[in-house]
């Protein structure tokens, strides 16, 4: 019934997978907030789904959350199949933040069959807390399963800061230079360090700074327009030996 009343975007749905230190209630609030912010004209954008893995919701429980995120992989696989098989949505978008990228990226290896592939539209990997070298190998293999992959990297994201302290190896979503964010062919990497990424986690109280990111996601989901600079002139291409990525500059 909810999908039938979705207006022009009733065939769209998105699944949000929260990140480190986010409990169920907070994850539910994040999902509702993202759904609201993706609809700036007041018209609901598709149907929102949340997959909440069992985070300890404690900043000191990094290792616990890491184990929980990995144990959630088969459960997220089943959840995604449920959304794909039962909703009838023709355009399914996936959003994962920080440690939530661990179950999502691994689940995509098996969920994205030839039958499901045409329905997976945009995949947003926000500040993925994922080993950079492993990420570059794994994501290169799953990139063909969706119409578009966008990696939002940040040096200021709170969860990314904690990951930086807890790890010795570079994370895929950390824009700190060196070594900078992960760059993989076919994936649009955008350094959004100058923007507020708390829309994905907690303390979402600064909409003025986050609206650029939300507007970009809204355009991406609605039109699929790429590269990022085609959607927002503030996304400036940065050419490196590893390839091109984009950086938000005011």
């Amino acid at each position: 019934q909810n999908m039938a009343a979705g207006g022009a975007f009733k065939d769209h749905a998105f699944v949000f997978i929260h990140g480190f230190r986010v409990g169920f209630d907070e994850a539910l609030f994040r999902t509702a907030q993202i759904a609201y912010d993706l609809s700036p004209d007041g018209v609901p954008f598709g149907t929102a789904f949340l997959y909440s893995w069992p985070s300890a919701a404690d900043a000191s429980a990094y290792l616990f959350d890491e184990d929980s995120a990995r144990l959630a992989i088969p459960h997220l696989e089943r959840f995604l199949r449920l959304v794909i098989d039962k909703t009838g949505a023709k355009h399914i978008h996936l959003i994962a933040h920080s440690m939530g990228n661990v179950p999502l990226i691994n689940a995509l290896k098996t969920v994205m069959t030839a039958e499901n592939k045409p329905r997976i539209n945009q995949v947003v990997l926000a500040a993925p807390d994922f080993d950079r070298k492993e990420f570059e190998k794994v994501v290169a293999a799953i990139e063909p399963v969706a119409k578009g992959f966008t990696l939002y990297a940040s040096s200021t994201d709170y969860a990314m800061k904690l990951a930086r302290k807890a790890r010795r190896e570079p994370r895929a979503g950390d824009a700190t230079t060196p070594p900078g964010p992960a760059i993989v062919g076919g994936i649009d990497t955008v350094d959004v360090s100058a923007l507020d990424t708390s829309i994905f986690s907690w303390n979402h109280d600064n909409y003025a700074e986050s609206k650029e990111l939300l507007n970009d996601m809204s355009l991406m989901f609605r039109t699929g327009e790429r590269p990022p600079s085609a959607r927002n002139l503030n996304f400036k291409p940065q050419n490196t030996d590893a390839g091109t990525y984009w950086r938000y500059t005011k």
Side-chain angles (χ1 to χ4, degrees):
Q1 290 176 337
N2 182 76
M3 294 187 74
F9 298 99
K10 65 182 179 181
D11 291 332
H12 289 254
F14 77 83
V15 180
F16 176 58
I17 303 100
H18 67 80
F20 167 66
R21 209 202 82 168
V22 177
F24 178 78
D25 290 347
E26 180 68 14
L28 194 63
F29 182 82
R30 290 297 117 225
T31 308
Q33 187 71 58
I34 291 171
Y36 177 81
D37 290 342
L38 286 177
S39 309
D41 53 4
V43 178
F45 178 77
T47 302
F49 290 89
L50 162 68
Y51 179 77
S52 180
W53 52 275
S55 166
D58 184 341
S60 66
Y62 185 89
L63 294 178
F64 177 91
D65 272 17
E66 182 181 45
D67 288 341
S68 293
R70 291 201 174 274
L71 289 171
I73 293 170
H75 304 289
L76 178 56
E77 288 176 2
R78 288 194 291 271
F79 185 81
L80 291 178
R81 291 183 189 278
L82 181 68
V83 173
I84 293 169
D85 295 339
K86 299 298 183 181
T87 64
K90 297 178 181 178
H91 309 280
I92 298 173
H93 312 286
L94 308 174
I95 308 168
H97 176 243
S98 72
M99 207 173 278
N101 283 273
V102 172
L104 176 62
I105 291 171
N106 285 283
L108 287 178
K109 296 177 187 178
T110 58
V111 170
M112 299 304 106
T113 63
E115 181 180 357
N116 294 334
K117 180 180 174 180
R119 297 170 62 192
I120 303 302
N121 197 313
Q122 302 296 318
V123 178
V124 173
L125 310 176
D129 185 1
F130 210 98
D131 179 86
R132 177 173 168 164
K133 292 180 180 178
E134 181 186 1
F135 178 88
E136 292 170 349
K137 293 178 181 178
V138 173
V139 176
I142 65 173
E143 179 268 331
V145 307
K147 292 183 180 178
F149 269 80
T150 300
L151 189 165
Y152 289 132
S154 176
S155 60
T156 59
D157 178 271
Y158 182 68
M160 202 78 272
K161 288 181 178 180
L162 291 179
R164 194 182 307 139
K165 292 181 179 180
R167 301 284 191 172
R168 294 185 178 182
E169 296 296 327
R171 315 312 289 167
D174 190 354
T176 302
T177 302
I183 301 174
V184 182
I187 295 178
D188 294 336
T189 295
V190 186
D191 180 351
V192 294
S193 299
L195 298 175
D196 180 15
T197 56
S198 64
I199 53 171
F200 300 119
S201 51
W202 51 83
N203 296 328
H204 178 29
D205 56 2
N206 203 339
Y207 183 81
E209 292 184 12
S210 64
K211 67 177 181 179
E212 292 276 3
L213 191 54
L214 292 160
N215 288 343
D216 186 56
M217 288 174 54
S218 181
L219 284 172
M220 186 196 315
F221 291 172
R222 293 166 191 250
T223 68
E225 190 172 20
R226 301 173 71 188
S229 52
R231 301 188 302 265
N232 189 327
L233 296 178
N234 288 328
F235 289 148
K236 306 296 185 182
Q238 310 292 311
N239 298 316
T240 71
D241 292 341
T244 300
Y245 71 99
W246 288 261
R247 176 183 294 148
Y248 177 84
T249 56
K250 295 183 180 180

